[in-house]
Amino acid sequence: MDTVMLSRMQFASTTIFHFFFVPVTIGLSFIIAIMETMYVRSGNEEYKRMAKFWGKLFLVNFAIGVVTGILQEFQFGMNWSDYSRFVGDVFGAPLAVEALLAFFLESTFIGIWIFGWEKVSKKIHLLSIWFVAIGTTLSAFWILAANSFMQHPVGFTINNGRAEMNDFLALITNGQVLVEFPHTVLGAFATGAFLIIGISAIKLLRKQDVSFFQKSFKIAAIVGIISSIGVAFAGHWQAQYLVKTQPMKMAASEGLWGKSGDPAPWTVIANIDPENKTSTHELKIPYALSFLSYSKFSGEVKGMIELQSEYEQKYGPGNYIPPVRTTFWSFRIMIVAGMAMIFITLWAVYLMRRKKFDQPNTRFLRICLSGLVLPPIANTAGWLMTEFGRQPWTVFGLMTTERSVSPNITPGQVLFSLITFNGIYAALFVVLIYLFVKVVKKGPYTVEEESHSTDPYNKKKG
Amino acid sequence: MISLNELWFVLIAVLFVGFFFLEGFDFGVGMQSQMLPKDERQRRVMINSIGPFWDANEVWLITGAGAMFAAFPEWYATLFSGFYVPFVFALFGLILRGVAFEYRGKAQTAGWRTTWDLSILIGSFLPPFLLAIVFASFIKGLPIDGDMQMHAAFFGDIVNVYTVLAGLAVVLMCNIHGLLFTALRTFGELQERARRRARTLLLPTGVLLLAFVIMTYFQTDIFKVRGVLLWAIAALGLVAFLLAGYFSKQKRDGWAFAMTGAVLGLSVISVFVGLFPRVMVSSLGEAYNLTITNAASGQYSLKVMTIVALTMLPFVLGYQIWSYFIFHKRLSDKETLEY
């Protein structure tokens, strides 16, 4: 394999792995901040215990998010140096601002939060978890602003063969980031919520610490329903923006080779044949693609064959069709997972409203438990669609992936890093699961006492 | 008035001085926590002493790299792709270390602890060692061609006697710095042990540092380019080093700690002063040097970033100093130990 292919694998694995943890960090810090706010306002110790218990899981997750984030930043220079040279003027700024504005905030206040329970006042302690939550969200904004430039470059001019920023405001009010940010952050809130819902379901099924986990479940369910419905709306806006700015990605995510016809139907499933540029065995819902694209029940969507010839005229000869199958299926997987999340939270809120939640039925809790896997699936699929769908470009219309790679590194070096880092990822993943299980098994009451123990060999059960 | 390019060169230097001063001590504590303590309790106290800080300290490096990317993209691109393999190892260390701090206290078995302790050791040694090698090779010069691409051999161009000497000197310096931090944050037997070890390490470290300065005189052009100024910095470094020894003998840990931090800071400053106005020296000829002009972003970018940085910096510094103030007390016997 060549350097480009290996570097793409390196980028994909780092980004996907990193993005298992980022949404959990954003979502959990927000919900923990809510719990601690309830504690400070009511004085009820139960809420403090909630913040601490979910805080344990949060920290285990946060650690991996942080360390893989460093890799995320460094790999632009290491593997994609020609990309960095070309867009550093524009792309580097949000990254630097992210570090200055968000990382410092997050990392300083997480220290105060972990170690400050007995050292600062309740209010300062509460403020510190809110700063962590705000920091993680700000960080998401800046990184998405950078990513949005890759999807839809704005606020720059080409000068001396590279992109130079000429409008910072345009960069951070990029239409792309205005739709990408709410979609991603609401998805992150839902991710945090579903983690709490799923784990609470395990404990409720086992009838352990029932009141504690019912309370947690309820808070998470409310965050969950608002955010998972919100994600769907934000996703709808994003799709409309996509049709305007990256029609090829839209066409690929529909497996649409020719024109869609007017009104356009939405393809539910299809057997896609990229070699012959056709799709067979299609199952379609009439009008739906028109609605998805334009918020009305009419309107035609361009297909890949037509766009390919348009792009050839504009950008010269080449293949401008992204990996269609990946784009098509990841879009559908994302949608199905998202729908399932809405369904579960609706059900939960229905039970809560009908006051039936206090005798929860096993079937419902089992479904909640399986809901644990939904957010990571939806998040990953969403990114696969976004990033695969943009190929062959790194910066849409400006720079291809092939041209972005570092010319002075060898396939052997990239392979070495690929093996090293994926080895660590695998090991860390196992460790993370182990620790999650351990914390959950112990439950909220033992966890607290353990952290107060000063004797490291104290194995007495608390 | 200084130009924006100069300002960003200075800001990046400040970020790296901050990084080596701050993360320097927690690298040192990380390494020494595996060698100094006589029991598990002391080890936990040591690791906990840096608990609230190490993460934010590391952000100085991330911000430094981010600032390079934004202000001098060519520097960032040449540096990170050119030092590909060393950075893989440095990242490997940083990853291990970050999770190790968080995870070692989360389970009780001996094997679990040993694994994470080893990770802390590796993770605290590799990054300062490799970063020192990178900085030393900045001033020594690297094969950078007309397209600003660096084609360096791992052994020879990057790893050689001169750069390894820098690596070892910085690692030892971090160890002393960390030991003095331990002396500042603890009391009793652990504090005494830390002080004693800091003093024993001073002599060999001084010898290494001196050897490095002498080699720098012969191996690089920085003393020729910035003669007086560099001699002055070297002299200041010597004074700080001697004072560190003096203060640690007097058991004035705070002052001693400030002095070892000054030695680390001055080392970074001397690299940046020696480089200026270059950011990377090409061994293939002066024409190929990367400078604060040819490696920089456009003026508009620099201006925007300057506004953001100067607005935010006071807050960032403010709450970081405040967090040190919150945790300024020595760790007591009744402390909750996270790790």
Side-chain angles (χ1 to χ4, degrees), chain A residues 54 195-208 213 217 365-366 368-370 372 436-437 440-441:
Chain A
W54 298 110
L195 190 74
I196 295 183
I197 289 173
I199 289 173
S200 299
I202 299 175
K203 297 302 261 191
L204 292 174
L205 278 168
R206 294 188 179 165
K207 302 201 165 38
Q208 291 165 336
F213 285 104
F217 190 110
L365 290 175
R366 287 221 178 100
C368 287
L369 167 61
S370 58
L372 273 175
F436 260 51
V437 171
V440 172
K441 261 194 187 156

Side-chain angles (χ1 to χ4, degrees), chain A residues 60 73 79 89 104 119 451, chain B residues 76 84 103 298 301 320 335-336:
Chain A
V60 168
E73 182 193 18
N79 290 12
D89 193 301
F104 272 130
K119 294 214 165 53
S451 69
Chain B
Y76 172 81
Y84 194 89
Y103 291 174
S301 256
Q320 284 205 23
E335 201 72 25
T336 304

Side-chain angles (χ1 to χ4, degrees), chain A residues 60 64 70 73 77 79 82 85 89 101 104-105 107 119 162 165 168 407-408 417 424 438 450-451 454 456, chain B residues 56 58 62 66 74 76 78 81 84 92 103 106 108 148-150 296 298 300-301 312 319-320 335-336:
Chain A
V60 168
I64 304 192
I70 307 176
E73 182 193 18
N79 290 12
D82 271 5
R85 289 175 204 281
D89 193 301
L101 210 67
F104 272 130
L105 194 70
S107 59
K119 294 214 165 53
R162 57 192 206 121
M165 197 201 305
F168 185 62
N408 54 339
S417 82
I424 304 183
K438 201 175 156 69
E450 188 198 48
S451 69
T454 48
Chain B
E58 201 160 289
I62 298 172
E74 304 280 4
Y76 172 81
T78 307
S81 64
Y84 194 89
F92 175 78
Y103 291 174
K106 298 279 188 290
Q108 308 288 330
M148 296 189 179
Q149 302 289 358
M150 176 176 148
Y300 177 83
S301 256
M312 291 317 299
Y319 62 67
Q320 284 205 23
E335 201 72 25
T336 304

